[in-house]
Amino acid sequence: MPDETTPVDPTLDEELALANEPTEINPDVDIAPEEVGPTVAEGERILEVDNVTLRFGGVVALNEVSFHINQGEILGLIGPNGAGKTTCFNVMTGVYQPTSGDVRFLGEPLGQRKRFQITKLGIARTFQNIRLFANMTALENVLVGADAHHSTGVGSAMFRLPKHRREEAEGRARAMELLEFMGLTAKADELARNLPYGDQRRLEIARALATSPKLLCLDEPAAGFNPAEKAKLMELIRAVRDQGYTVLLIEHDMRLVMGVTDRIVVLEFGRKIAEGTPAEVRENPAVIAAYLGVEEEDAS
C-alpha cells in the first residue's frame, strides 16, 4: 500500500467521477446568437484568410497562408508547436496586422481595425492562458462580454436612464442563460479565481459567447484537461455549434480535433501544408511527417 506522500495516478473511473463533479452543461438552454449585422446562409463562407504573410523582422511567422471558414461548421487549426496557429488567430482578431495578404469577415476587410471593432463585427475568442477578471464574479465576467453591443454611454448609466436600465436587464438575463448553459448557475456569485480550473475554462467561453459572435475562436480550450474533461469539452463545442455558432478551434490534442471538427487546416513553420476532412488529414503524408518527424516518402 502506498503511504500518504506517494502520488497515485487516478484511474479512468476516478477521472470520470472528477469530471462529472463540477458541472454539467445544459444544451437545451437557448443561447442562439442575437441577430446583429448581416447574416450568412448555412455553408457560405463567413471568414477568408487570403495569402496572409506576417514577418517579425527576419522571422516569417506566417507564409502566404490561405483558408476559409464556412457558416455553421467547426474548423480545426492544428500543427506542431511553433507552427503559427496562435499567430494566425492573433492576425484574425486584430492583435497583429499582416505584412501582406487580407483577412475578410462577412466580406469586410479586417486590416487596420481595432480589436474592439472586430468584436463588434462578430468575432470572439478565448485564450490559451485563461484571462478572466479574477476578482469579479462569474456573472460579472459574463456581463463584461454582454456589454459589447450596448449602445448607451456613461451619461445614460450615471442617470440610470430607461434605455440603460433596459440594456442592463437584457444583459443580465443573457448572462444568466449562458451560465445555465455552461452548468454554472449555482456559481454565478463566486469570484472567478475561486472556481475550479474546468469551470474557469467554461466561464471564459461563456464570456466570449455573451458578445453574440458569429465566429467563436477557441485557443487550446482543452489545455490542462484530463481525458474525461476533454470528452465533455467535445460535447460542449458540438452543443455550441448546434445553437447556431461557427467555431474555429486551435488544439494540439489530435484525438479531440479529429472527433469534433468538420474540416481541418494544418500549419507547419508558418505555412499551410494540408486541408480537408479529419479522415483526409489523418492520412496525409505531409501531416504525418510534421507530427512524427519522418520523411514524407516514408510516412505513407
Side-chain angles (χ1 to χ4, degrees), residues 84-164:
K85 305 182 296 294
T86 297
T87 301
C88 191
F89 248 36
N90 286 336
V91 169
M92 291 166 46
T93 54
V95 178
Y96 301 138
Q97 294 296 323
T99 306
S100 61
D102 296 300
V103 180
R104 293 183 296 277
F105 180 66
L106 301 172
E108 294 288 329
L110 297 184
Q112 307 306 316
R113 291 181 187 265
K114 298 183 184 300
R115 278 179 270 181
F116 78 89
Q117 294 172 323
I118 291 174
T119 299
K120 280 185 173 291
L121 278 175
I123 299 179
R125 68 169 295 179
T126 64
F127 296 86
Q128 184 174 350
N129 299 313
I130 296 173
R131 296 188 186 180
L132 294 170
F133 298 103
N135 293 316
M136 293 171 63
T137 67
L139 175 59
E140 289 168 341
N141 267 275
V142 183
L143 285 172
V144 170
D147 190 56
H149 291 291
H150 288 178
S151 58
T152 53
V154 175
S156 181
M158 287 178 60
F159 293 104
R160 303 290 296 167
L161 297 181
K163 184 176 181 181
H164 171 77

Side-chain angles (χ1 to χ4, degrees), residues 158-280:
M158 287 178 60
F159 293 104
R160 303 290 296 167
L161 297 181
K163 184 176 181 181
H164 171 77
R165 293 200 305 272
R166 184 174 65 253
E167 287 190 341
E168 190 176 56
E170 291 171 351
R172 185 180 182 87
R174 175 69 172 170
M176 289 304 298
E177 288 172 349
L178 288 163
L179 289 175
E180 184 181 359
F181 178 85
M182 296 291 171
L184 296 173
T185 304
K187 301 179 181 180
D189 295 324
E190 291 191 27
L191 294 180
R193 60 184 168 85
N194 293 336
L195 295 176
Y197 179 77
D199 287 353
Q200 291 186 23
R201 283 282 180 194
R202 280 180 280 275
L203 179 58
E204 192 174 37
I205 296 173
R207 184 178 62 184
L209 289 172
T211 67
S212 293
K214 289 182 168 60
L215 174 63
L216 175 65
C217 302
L218 303 176
D219 190 354
E220 301 266 3
F225 277 7
N226 64 40
E229 289 170 323
K230 289 177 182 178
K232 295 185 75 172
L233 177 65
M234 290 171 65
E235 177 189 348
L236 171 60
I237 293 171
R238 291 192 194 100
V240 167
R241 189 268 304 278
D242 291 345
Q243 291 271 356
Y245 295 89
T246 303
V247 181
L248 174 61
L249 173 67
I250 283 183
E251 185 53 61
H252 72 274
D253 187 298
M254 292 291 287
R255 181 177 296 181
L256 187 152
V257 172
M258 293 292 175
V260 78
T261 56
D262 300 303
R263 289 190 303 121
I264 297 173
V265 172
V266 189
L267 300 181
E268 184 187 27
F269 300 124
R271 63 186 182 92
K272 186 177 79 173
I273 61 170
E275 180 177 355
T277 65
E280 292 168 341

Side-chain angles (χ1 to χ4, degrees), residues 13-79:
D13 286 342
E14 289 170 333
E15 286 185 341
L16 285 167
L18 213 62
N20 288 329
E21 188 177 318
T23 56
E24 288 287 346
I25 67 167
N26 297 309
D28 293 332
V29 178
D30 183 8
I31 61 161
E34 299 174 4
E35 292 299 330
V36 179
T39 59
V40 180
E42 190 81 11
E44 291 186 0
R45 294 187 178 188
I46 187 171
L47 181 136
E48 295 176 278
V49 177
D50 185 14
N51 227 28
V52 165
T53 295
L54 178 65
R55 293 187 176 88
F56 296 106
V59 177
V60 181
L62 294 173
N63 188 2
E64 298 183 346
V65 173
S66 296
F67 63 90
H68 68 274
I69 305 171
N70 297 321
Q71 171 67 25
E73 76 173 344
I74 302 172
L75 180 76
L77 184 62
I78 69 171

